[in-house]
Every structure is written in structure tokens, then in C-alpha cells.
Amino acid sequence: MGAAGYRSASVDVTRLSRRQVAELQRVWRDLRSEQGAAEPPDTDDSVFRAGLDAWLTGVISSDGRLADTSLDDLLDLEREAKDHAVARAYVDRVVAVVVPRREAEPPWHAELADVIREHCRERGYGLSDGGRDRFGYRTLSITVPNREGPVELSLNGETFLLTFPGGFTWPEFEYAPEAAKAALQDQLRLVDSYADPDTRTVSVKRALRSPRTELHLSDGTVLRRHGGRRPQS
């Protein structure tokens, strides 16, 4: 569970899950094993494959950080390569990994939203559903009483990202149904800790550097902007 990574509140950048990165690496290896892949492209099909190779190189080397503009580039490539069979097959594989189709969503994904709604109802939290974005994430805004601004919970069944006001984030990555449900419960417990009056924002002094602002949750979790850590028990 707890892994490094973030997804910006403005949805300019998303962090692909470890499974998604592994799938992209598999496509990349297959692409590079195509006959003539190491040679300068000399057909339209090979030009598109070279473009996809460069795209995959960039995303994989950045540990799966995918900018909104990079997604635009991939979707442009999908449109432009549609008449070139080999390139199109590879692009389709990449798009299927990066932008999961909603109709292919397993039934248990919908149960996650039900768990969130019931949790918020029981505790008197406000909840609004922003729907799905182009990366396949559902983002829900949870309004906690006596706290400034909503907590954003973004999920796609594999990645669960909490973003607290001030840009403090905590990600979880899980894939199997039961493990994913457990990861979601961990995130909801963090929301409950945020609601606790003992949670506070702390300015930490550092030698020869400017102070660092941290969010100290009541359960002992310490969050930093665009990342987090949980103290050893």
C-alpha cells in the first residue's frame, strides 16, 4: 500500500499505478521487438510507432507521471494512426491502459462509492460527486464540519488519493477487490482523523532552510505537500 506519488488537485498531472506502468513496459518491449524497430522509420506506420516509442519512454522514465498534455498527445496519435494497422494496434493497447473505458469497469468498483456515501452519511460529512475525468478517476469532495475547504478523494479502483486543503496528499495503490476496499477504509479513517479537533497544521523549523508546513493528523499520521509519511509504530 502507501506508495510515493501524487495527482494534482487541478488534474494537470496524474500518477499511473504500478500495474499500469508494468503494462506500459510490456507494450514498450513488444514495440521495440518489432522487425526494423531499431532502424530509422521509413513508412508512415513506422513513423507512428516511433512516436509511440518516444511517448512511452517519457512516461515510463518519469515513473508513470502523466501530464494532461501528454494524454492529449496520445489521443492525437490514436486519431492519426487509425489507418496504420500495426501502429494502431500498439496505440490501442496503450490507450486501454492509460484511459480505462468506463464500460469495462468491474462491478465491485461501484461498491467503493457506496462505501464512501455511507461513511459520510453516518458521520455527517457533506459529499459531492464530481463524476469521472478523462484519466478515468472519480473525484468526490468531502466536506468535514469545522474544517476549511473540502477533502478531495480521487479513485479509479486501483489508486486512492486524498488531497487535504493546503495541498497535503496521501496515496494508496491496490488492485485486488478486498485489498482495494481495505485501502479505501484506510483513507476514510484519515478523513476521520482530519475531522478530529486534535488535528493541526504545524510549521517545522529546519536549519539553513525555510520552515516546512506539515499536517499532523490526530492518529499520528504526518502529511507533507504532494507526499506523506506515516510514523513507525
mmCIF file with all atom_site columns, all heavy atoms in Angstrom, residues 10-11 69 94 134 185 189 208:
data_model
loop_
_atom_site.group_PDB
_atom_site.id
_atom_site.type_symbol
_atom_site.label_atom_id
_atom_site.label_alt_id
_atom_site.label_comp_id
_atom_site.label_asym_id
_atom_site.label_entity_id
_atom_site.label_seq_id
_atom_site.pdbx_PDB_ins_code
_atom_site.Cartn_x
_atom_site.Cartn_y
_atom_site.Cartn_z
_atom_site.occupancy
_atom_site.B_iso_or_equiv
_atom_site.pdbx_formal_charge
_atom_site.auth_seq_id
_atom_site.auth_comp_id
_atom_site.auth_asym_id
_atom_site.auth_atom_id
_atom_site.pdbx_PDB_model_num
ATOM 1  N N   . SER A 1 10  ? -5.688  20.090 -9.628  1.00 0.00 ? 10  SER A N   1
ATOM 2  C CA  . SER A 1 10  ? -6.190  20.670 -10.871 1.00 0.00 ? 10  SER A CA  1
ATOM 3  C C   . SER A 1 10  ? -6.226  19.649 -12.003 1.00 0.00 ? 10  SER A C   1
ATOM 4  O O   . SER A 1 10  ? -6.595  19.963 -13.118 1.00 0.00 ? 10  SER A O   1
ATOM 5  C CB  . SER A 1 10  ? -5.298  21.852 -11.294 1.00 0.00 ? 10  SER A CB  1
ATOM 6  O OG  . SER A 1 10  ? -3.983  21.400 -11.525 1.00 0.00 ? 10  SER A OG  1
ATOM 7  N N   . VAL A 1 11  ? -5.835  18.419 -11.729 1.00 0.00 ? 11  VAL A N   1
ATOM 8  C CA  . VAL A 1 11  ? -5.840  17.327 -12.687 1.00 0.00 ? 11  VAL A CA  1
ATOM 9  C C   . VAL A 1 11  ? -4.921  17.628 -13.869 1.00 0.00 ? 11  VAL A C   1
ATOM 10 O O   . VAL A 1 11  ? -5.164  17.191 -14.978 1.00 0.00 ? 11  VAL A O   1
ATOM 11 C CB  . VAL A 1 11  ? -7.281  16.998 -13.167 1.00 0.00 ? 11  VAL A CB  1
ATOM 12 C CG1 . VAL A 1 11  ? -7.340  15.592 -13.731 1.00 0.00 ? 11  VAL A CG1 1
ATOM 13 C CG2 . VAL A 1 11  ? -8.296  17.116 -12.039 1.00 0.00 ? 11  VAL A CG2 1
ATOM 14 N N   . THR A 1 69  ? -1.172  17.260 -20.961 1.00 0.00 ? 69  THR A N   1
ATOM 15 C CA  . THR A 1 69  ? -0.733  17.473 -22.343 1.00 0.00 ? 69  THR A CA  1
ATOM 16 C C   . THR A 1 69  ? -0.234  16.183 -22.972 1.00 0.00 ? 69  THR A C   1
ATOM 17 O O   . THR A 1 69  ? -0.396  15.965 -24.180 1.00 0.00 ? 69  THR A O   1
ATOM 18 C CB  . THR A 1 69  ? 0.369   18.537 -22.395 1.00 0.00 ? 69  THR A CB  1
ATOM 19 O OG1 . THR A 1 69  ? 1.418   18.186 -21.463 1.00 0.00 ? 69  THR A OG1 1
ATOM 20 C CG2 . THR A 1 69  ? -0.164  19.916 -22.035 1.00 0.00 ? 69  THR A CG2 1
ATOM 21 N N   . VAL A 1 94  ? -1.999  0.929  -25.543 1.00 0.00 ? 94  VAL A N   1
ATOM 22 C CA  . VAL A 1 94  ? -1.566  1.953  -24.588 1.00 0.00 ? 94  VAL A CA  1
ATOM 23 C C   . VAL A 1 94  ? -2.769  2.741  -24.068 1.00 0.00 ? 94  VAL A C   1
ATOM 24 O O   . VAL A 1 94  ? -2.894  2.994  -22.865 1.00 0.00 ? 94  VAL A O   1
ATOM 25 C CB  . VAL A 1 94  ? -0.536  2.895  -25.233 1.00 0.00 ? 94  VAL A CB  1
ATOM 26 C CG1 . VAL A 1 94  ? -0.223  4.080  -24.307 1.00 0.00 ? 94  VAL A CG1 1
ATOM 27 C CG2 . VAL A 1 94  ? 0.744   2.132  -25.549 1.00 0.00 ? 94  VAL A CG2 1
ATOM 28 N N   . ARG A 1 134 ? -11.055 12.637 -17.541 1.00 0.00 ? 134 ARG A N   1
ATOM 29 C CA  . ARG A 1 134 ? -10.537 11.949 -18.725 1.00 0.00 ? 134 ARG A CA  1
ATOM 30 C C   . ARG A 1 134 ? -9.490  10.908 -18.404 1.00 0.00 ? 134 ARG A C   1
ATOM 31 O O   . ARG A 1 134 ? -9.151  10.070 -19.250 1.00 0.00 ? 134 ARG A O   1
ATOM 32 C CB  . ARG A 1 134 ? -9.982  12.987 -19.714 1.00 0.00 ? 134 ARG A CB  1
ATOM 33 C CG  . ARG A 1 134 ? -8.842  13.825 -19.178 1.00 0.00 ? 134 ARG A CG  1
ATOM 34 C CD  . ARG A 1 134 ? -8.759  15.159 -19.923 1.00 0.00 ? 134 ARG A CD  1
ATOM 35 N NE  . ARG A 1 134 ? -8.650  14.953 -21.339 1.00 0.00 ? 134 ARG A NE  1
ATOM 36 C CZ  . ARG A 1 134 ? -7.549  15.205 -22.040 1.00 0.00 ? 134 ARG A CZ  1
ATOM 37 N NH1 . ARG A 1 134 ? -6.478  15.670 -21.438 1.00 0.00 ? 134 ARG A NH1 1
ATOM 38 N NH2 . ARG A 1 134 ? -7.521  15.011 -23.330 1.00 0.00 ? 134 ARG A NH2 1
ATOM 39 N N   . GLN A 1 185 ? -10.842 2.009  3.168   1.00 0.00 ? 185 GLN A N   1
ATOM 40 C CA  . GLN A 1 185 ? -11.154 2.194  4.586   1.00 0.00 ? 185 GLN A CA  1
ATOM 41 C C   . GLN A 1 185 ? -10.032 2.952  5.294   1.00 0.00 ? 185 GLN A C   1
ATOM 42 O O   . GLN A 1 185 ? -10.283 3.797  6.167   1.00 0.00 ? 185 GLN A O   1
ATOM 43 C CB  . GLN A 1 185 ? -11.388 0.836  5.260   1.00 0.00 ? 185 GLN A CB  1
ATOM 44 C CG  . GLN A 1 185 ? -12.660 0.122  4.829   1.00 0.00 ? 185 GLN A CG  1
ATOM 45 C CD  . GLN A 1 185 ? -13.924 0.856  5.272   1.00 0.00 ? 185 GLN A CD  1
ATOM 46 O OE1 . GLN A 1 185 ? -13.877 1.783  6.074   1.00 0.00 ? 185 GLN A OE1 1
ATOM 47 N NE2 . GLN A 1 185 ? -15.071 0.432  4.750   1.00 0.00 ? 185 GLN A NE2 1
ATOM 48 N N   . ARG A 1 189 ? -10.457 6.499  7.247   1.00 0.00 ? 189 ARG A N   1
ATOM 49 C CA  . ARG A 1 189 ? -10.009 6.717  8.624   1.00 0.00 ? 189 ARG A CA  1
ATOM 50 C C   . ARG A 1 189 ? -9.159  7.984  8.723   1.00 0.00 ? 189 ARG A C   1
ATOM 51 O O   . ARG A 1 189 ? -9.211  8.704  9.732   1.00 0.00 ? 189 ARG A O   1
ATOM 52 C CB  . ARG A 1 189 ? -9.235  5.496  9.125   1.00 0.00 ? 189 ARG A CB  1
ATOM 53 C CG  . ARG A 1 189 ? -10.128 4.351  9.587   1.00 0.00 ? 189 ARG A CG  1
ATOM 54 C CD  . ARG A 1 189 ? -9.343  3.291  10.331  1.00 0.00 ? 189 ARG A CD  1
ATOM 55 N NE  . ARG A 1 189 ? -8.533  2.489  9.431   1.00 0.00 ? 189 ARG A NE  1
ATOM 56 C CZ  . ARG A 1 189 ? -8.974  1.387  8.832   1.00 0.00 ? 189 ARG A CZ  1
ATOM 57 N NH1 . ARG A 1 189 ? -10.219 0.976  9.034   1.00 0.00 ? 189 ARG A NH1 1
ATOM 58 N NH2 . ARG A 1 189 ? -8.188  0.696  8.035   1.00 0.00 ? 189 ARG A NH2 1
ATOM 59 N N   . LEU A 1 208 ? 19.073  26.210 8.146   1.00 0.00 ? 208 LEU A N   1
ATOM 60 C CA  . LEU A 1 208 ? 19.522  26.771 6.868   1.00 0.00 ? 208 LEU A CA  1
ATOM 61 C C   . LEU A 1 208 ? 18.484  26.641 5.750   1.00 0.00 ? 208 LEU A C   1
ATOM 62 O O   . LEU A 1 208 ? 18.809  26.837 4.587   1.00 0.00 ? 208 LEU A O   1
ATOM 63 C CB  . LEU A 1 208 ? 20.843  26.124 6.424   1.00 0.00 ? 208 LEU A CB  1
ATOM 64 C CG  . LEU A 1 208 ? 22.001  26.190 7.434   1.00 0.00 ? 208 LEU A CG  1
ATOM 65 C CD1 . LEU A 1 208 ? 23.218  25.469 6.879   1.00 0.00 ? 208 LEU A CD1 1
ATOM 66 C CD2 . LEU A 1 208 ? 22.330  27.635 7.778   1.00 0.00 ? 208 LEU A CD2 1
#
